[in-house]
Structure formats: structure tokens, C-alpha cells
Amino acid sequence: MLIGALEAGGTKMVCSIGNRQGEVLQRASFPTLSPEITVPQILDFMSKFDIKALGIGSFGPLDLNPASPNYGGIRMTPKKEWQGYPLLTVMRDELGVPTGIDTDVNAAALAEATLGAGRGMQSLLYVTVGTGIGGGLIVNGQVVHGLVHPEVGHMLLAPADGDGMPDGICPFHRHCLEGLASGPAIEKRWGLSSKLMTKDHPAWDLEAGYLAQMCANMICSVSPEIIVLGGGVMQQAHLFPRIREKTLALLNGYVDSDRITPEGIVSYIVPPALGVNSGVIGALLLGAKALRKAQEGEE
Ligand code: ADP
Ligand code: ZN
């Protein structure tokens, strides 16, 4: 049985066809232009296959309140043409299949918790560090939505001593995580592409310190069983040992767990086990979940 997966991103829309086991069989990608141009391309691709459900992991913020008339729609976003766009409704009505939606990072978190680094665990934090920073959270085996949905990327941090850009670049907040530690923040601070920085560049120590603050804050506030860090910036694999070390230093022995030790933390703060596929696999799982729900409704 085929399921469609849409990873709706700010720069591109990645459409995939897969199955309920999370295997990806076909893929196509379209640049994110206006909905008038891009949505027909997505629908055209999806209609070529006999999909029984669709899952969407989308950039946000999204309206995820099931009681809201614009459930599954895009809320206020800098991408003006997409503001208020009813993504879920359009896809579901045009394709005529059960459709599930969540944020891109919640989809990735779901995939890592179900089939990846957090298999068998009940809680997981997934954070992507790229053009922006976003976090998806699983607690008690469920994706956390709460009031709106968590905005881990905008948690406020203590600027590091000696940081030449201590306020960061977020237009909304002073010294939030995304403003201090996203790819564009690194590039603005140092005037150099983060991809071109060598391992010994001072940018990385600062970066690891900010990501460690986030990890320490999340460990203290939600106590996830595992933290998965993905996104372009985390391609710098040398960041992992530094983040682990700094997280331990910040927590200073306070959290009593064998995972929060020099040995345990190696398998506690980790890269995505599903690599770059967490998002698409998460979207497939959201599609499968929507299908199950529709079938239960029929019984
Ligand atoms: P997006 O967040 O747009 O979906 P990415 O997760 O690839 O995409 O993040 C893009 C950001 O990550 C850019 O700021 C880019 O400079 C940075 N980046 C991408 N790859 C690397 C890398 N290998 N090393 C360091 N920074 C990277
Ligand atoms: Zn912010």
C-alpha cells in the first residue's frame, strides 16, 4: 500500500512515495514559490500514484489545534504568500485521502522515536540546526503540541563571554538559540560560510556552548530519554563531543542518570539514526497514522 509524504520546507517541497514501514520508493522536489505555482506541482506528482494516505511535515508555525477552523494551515510566516494557507485542507480535499500533518521537526522526532535513534523509548527531543533552529518533542510516546507547539529554537540563552554578537540575529528576541546559533547567525558573526570553517575555528566552541545550553535546559525541563541533533550545521561531526562535554559541565553532576555521565552521554546526544531521511519517514508515519484513524472511524 502506497503512502504519500510531503516535506514542506521554506526553500523546497520534497514529495515522496513510500509505504507504512517507512520505505521510500519515489521522490521529487519542487522549489517553494507561491502556493499557486507550487501546490499544483505537488498535487500533480502525488496523483500519479495510487496513494491511500498522505502525511505532511511542514515548516511553521502551523495551526495544530484540532478544534480550529484552519487546522493544518500555515500561520504567520515571513513567507507572505503562505500566510494562512490551508495546506492540510487543500491536500486532503484535492487528493481525497486521509491526511495527517505536523511540524517538520515533530515529524522527524516521530521517525527517530519510532524507527531511529530513540526506538523503544518513550521520549525524545529532535533538534535541527540549519537555516533556522527547530525542535520536535515526543513525551510518553506522543508528539507534544501543547498550547501551540514547542519553539525550542527560540528559547533564551545566556550570551557567552566574548561573543561579538551577543544579541544574535532573531528579529523577535534578544539572545535566543536560533538568533545565536543558526547557520546564518554563525555566518553573520564571523563573516564566513560555516561550511568553510575549519574544525579549529573559534566559531565551533561558541556554537557547542549554545547548543549545550539548550540541551541542559531541555534535560532540566522535559528530561527526554535521548537528544537527536540534525540539520546542516550538525554535519560538523566534531560538534558532538564538544556539546556533550559542555552539557555535562553545565549540569555539573546534578542530574542523576547513567546517561548524563562522560560514558553515557555518548549515546544520549546523538546524530539522527535515519540520517537526512528522518523528515520523510516521519511524514510517511503521519500518513499511516491518518489512515489508521480514518479506518477506525469507519468501523
Ligand atoms: P535548512 O535549514 O534550510 O532546511 P540545512 O539544515 O542544510 O537546511 O541548513 C542550512 C544551513 O546550515 C546554512 O546556514 C548552511 O551554511 C549550514 N550548513 C549546511 N551544511 C553545513 C556543513 N556541512 N557545515 C556547516 N554548516 C553547514
Ligand atoms: Zn528568536
Side-chain angles (χ1 to χ4, degrees), residues 11 128-132 182-184 187 193-195 204 231-233 235-236:
T11 39
T128 179
V129 189
T131 307
S182 63
E187 292 172 6
S193 162
S194 57
K195 288 184 196 165
W204 298 125
V233 172
Q235 296 295 318
Q236 301 282 334

Side-chain angles (χ1 to χ4, degrees), residues 22 51 62 99 109 126 128 147 183-184 192 223 226 232 234 257 262 274 277 282 287 297:
I51 58 171
L62 289 179
T99 301
Y126 176 94
T128 179
L147 182 65
L192 177 66
S223 205
I226 188 163
M234 294 312 300
S257 162
L274 303 171
N277 289 322

Side-chain angles (χ1 to χ4, degrees), residues 154 170 172-173 176:
H154 294 273
C170 175
F172 292 91
H173 316 111
C176 74

